[in-house]
């Protein structure tokens, strides 16, 4: 799926360090504001233990996980909505992503300067969110003006759209992000044309010190950000970007040992990748043959032909049916042959909604 998440935040909060660790990228990491100017693009594999569970019962040459596209966007500062810093560029880039990951600094380190002179996660979050709201207010006002002119025709549809746009504009002017508005699917589809930044799903990454990785020793900074996230019904994931960068340089065995020494079962990046996947509204389905076992991204609610289209457009155009079964069924019967003999493989048509974790084999005509 061509969906992407943008990594945002103030300068010097660890965005590029996190991006590099996630994507094994080469984004510049320096101790000064606006080190990142042009957005860096990368992909990250989504950890999924179901791949290993499937591989235990089939023969294939390689295993390919699902991937996410991430974009490391230039740091934002107060006044960005009016062009301060790299504001116009920042806000332009963020409009192009489908979800937002806001990195918030929750660690104290004198050698790493903070753009505002001190560490205060709630102040930083407020700065970023205020700038996004101000930009959205400008966008919404233009939308109301445009629809208002059309509504003068007197048509009911345009008048209703104007009322909706005014409702959204007024909420944003009160500091309410568009994603928090109780809108039905039809209304959400209508306001999509405004491309509001605050309508995008968002989660927080708390960039913490190593000591914060233990729940028993969480800092006041992290606790404050968690509480704020809970009030906003948002996810907050603590990650020590510095440690993740170190993990990225180790072999698989060394990585496991290092994580164990920290009392961790998996890296913070694995947790984050899955959280971004969920934030984007994605599920995974699997296909395999003698050459590869492959996990694929798919928007929740998509049909079997749409799933086929993620592999190749010709598969969707010529879709006939899909043979479907689950990972759990494969584990129970241990082979596709046994599944077929037991009548456990279902044939589904064009209206079938694919579910997370299903294994599919597509049949199509050319």
């Amino acid at each position: 799926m061509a969906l992407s998440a943008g990594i945002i935040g103030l300068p010097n909060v660890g965005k590029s360090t996190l991006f590099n660790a996630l994507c094994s990228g080469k984004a510049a990491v320096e101790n000064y504001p606006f080190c990142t100017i042009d957005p860096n693009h990368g992909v990250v594999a989504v950890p999924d233990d179901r791949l290993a569970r499937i591989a235990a019962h089939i023969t294939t040459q390689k295993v390919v996980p699902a991937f996410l596209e991430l974009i490391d966007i230039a740091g934002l500062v107060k006044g960005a909505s009016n062009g301060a810093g790299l504001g116009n560029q920042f806000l332009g880039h963020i409009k192009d992503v489908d979800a937002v990951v806001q990195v918030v600094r929750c660690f104290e380190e004198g050698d790493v300067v903070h753009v505002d002179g001190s560490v205060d996660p709630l102040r930083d979050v407020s700065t970023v969110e205020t700038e996004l709201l101000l930009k959205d207010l400008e966008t919404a006002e233009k939308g109301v003006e445009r629809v208002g002119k059309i509504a003068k025709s007197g048509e009911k549809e345009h008048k209703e759209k104007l009322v909706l746009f005014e409702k959204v504009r007024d909420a944003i002017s009160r500091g309410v992000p568009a994603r928090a508005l109780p809108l039905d699917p039809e209304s959400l589809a209508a306001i999509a044309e405004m491309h509001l930044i605050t309508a995008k799903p968002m989660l927080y990454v708390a960039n913490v010190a190593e000591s914060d990785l233990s729940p028993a020793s969480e800092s006041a900074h992290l606790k404050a950000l968690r509480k704020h996230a809970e009030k906003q019904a948002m996810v907050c994931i603590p990650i020590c970007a510095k440690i993740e960068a170190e993990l990225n340089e180790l072999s698989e065995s060394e990585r496991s040992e290092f994580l164990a020494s920290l009392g961790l079962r998996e890296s913070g990046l694995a947790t984050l990748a899955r959280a971004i996947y969920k934030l984007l509204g994605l599920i995974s389905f699997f296909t395999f043959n003698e050459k590869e076992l492959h996990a694929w991204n798919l928007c929740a609610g998509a049909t079997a032909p749409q799933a086929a289209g993620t592999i190749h457009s010709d598969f969707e155009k010529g879709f006939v049916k899909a043979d479907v079964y689950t990972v759990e069924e494969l584990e129970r019967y241990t082979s596709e042959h046994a599944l077929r003999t037991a009548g456990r493989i279902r044939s589904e048509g064009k209206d079938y909604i694919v579910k997370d974790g299903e294994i599919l084999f597509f049949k199509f005509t050319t």
Side-chain angles (χ1 to χ4, degrees):
M1 298 299 295
L3 296 179
S4 62
I7 301 177
I8 72 167
L10 298 180
N12 286 2
V13 297
K15 293 186 298 83
S16 295
T17 300
L18 181 67
F19 174 85
N20 283 341
L22 273 166
C23 305
S24 299
K26 300 298 180 184
V29 180
E30 301 292 347
N31 184 21
Y32 58 84
F34 309 123
C35 173
T36 301
I37 297 177
D38 296 321
N40 298 296
H41 293 250
V43 293
V44 56
V46 181
D48 194 329
D49 66 355
R50 293 173 297 189
L51 284 167
R53 290 162 58 191
I54 295 170
H57 299 285
I58 68 169
T59 300
T60 191
Q61 295 177 19
K62 65 178 180 178
V63 177
V64 183
F67 288 91
L68 294 172
E69 181 185 5
L70 297 182
I71 301 173
D72 178 26
I73 299 173
L76 175 149
V77 293
K78 188 178 296 184
S81 57
N82 292 319
L86 296 172
N88 291 328
Q89 291 183 51
F90 172 95
L91 296 165
H93 293 315
I94 196 174
K95 280 192 173 185
D96 294 332
V97 302
D98 301 287
V100 178
V101 176
Q102 184 179 165
V103 181
V104 185
R105 179 172 171 177
C106 292
F107 66 90
E108 297 277 359
E109 186 174 334
D111 292 338
V112 180
V113 297
H114 190 289
V115 69
D116 287 325
S118 63
V119 177
D120 184 339
L122 297 190
R123 178 202 60 211
D124 294 354
V125 165
S126 178
T127 295
V128 171
E129 294 182 348
T130 296
E131 295 305 321
L132 299 185
L133 284 164
L134 287 172
K135 189 63 177 179
D136 270 1
L137 180 57
E138 176 186 325
T139 300
E141 286 175 339
K142 290 179 180 178
V144 168
E145 181 181 357
R146 175 174 51 80
V147 174
K149 292 178 181 178
I150 301 173
K152 290 179 180 179
S153 66
E155 292 185 22
K156 181 181 177 182
E157 178 185 352
H158 297 315
K159 287 184 176 180
E160 291 177 346
K161 189 173 185 179
L162 176 60
V163 170
L164 173 62
F165 277 34
E166 289 176 335
K167 176 183 177 181
V168 173
R169 178 203 59 192
D170 293 346
I172 291 173
S173 70
R174 297 193 305 272
V176 179
R179 78 177 72 87
L181 297 177
L183 300 176
D184 57 39
E186 186 177 347
S187 296
L188 287 172
I191 70 168
E193 67 183 63
M194 286 196 284
H195 303 288
L196 297 171
I197 297 174
T198 64
K200 300 177 189 293
M202 179 188 289
L203 65 77
Y204 296 122
V205 169
N207 189 6
V208 301
E210 180 179 337
S211 58
D212 276 336
L213 294 176
S214 170
S217 60
E218 287 187 354
S219 69
H221 292 322
L222 176 55
K223 290 178 180 177
L225 184 59
R226 280 192 190 279
K227 187 174 181 180
H228 174 77
E230 289 173 3
K231 289 181 179 179
Q232 304 296 318
M234 292 170 61
V235 173
C236 176
I237 299 176
I239 288 181
C240 179
K242 185 177 181 180
I243 284 181
E244 298 295 337
E246 293 175 4
L247 282 168
N248 199 44
E249 300 297 323
L250 302 177
S251 66
E252 189 63 38
S253 60
E254 291 173 329
R255 192 177 298 122
S256 297
E257 291 178 8
F258 189 19
L259 286 170
S261 71
L262 296 172
L264 301 175
R265 296 179 61 182
E266 67 175 4
S267 71
L269 297 184
T271 302
L272 177 58
R274 284 193 291 268
I276 296 174
Y277 206 66
K278 184 176 180 180
L279 190 68
L280 285 166
L282 296 174
I283 62 171
S284 293
F285 71 92
F286 307 97
T287 62
F288 68 83
N289 53 34
E290 66 279 2
K291 290 185 178 180
E292 67 178 32
L293 163 61
H294 205 305
W296 301 91
N297 300 339
L298 187 68
C299 287
T303 63
Q306 290 171 326
T310 65
I311 301 174
H312 197 288
S313 59
D314 288 345
F315 288 16
E316 182 173 4
K317 293 175 184 177
F319 179 88
V320 175
K321 65 177 182 177
D323 287 346
V324 184
Y325 55 95
T326 66
V327 176
E328 291 74 20
E329 287 172 326
L330 176 61
E331 290 178 316
R332 178 182 176 185
Y333 289 89
T334 73
S335 74
E336 191 173 49
H337 174 74
L339 278 165
R340 198 171 296 279
T341 300
R344 301 302 299 179
I345 297 180
R346 296 170 282 117
S347 289
E348 302 289 355
K350 294 182 178 181
D351 295 330
Y352 181 69
I353 303 299
V354 177
K355 300 176 183 62
D356 183 50
E358 290 183 323
I359 301 169
L360 283 77
F361 178 78
F362 297 107
K363 297 183 179 180
F364 62 97
T365 59
T366 56

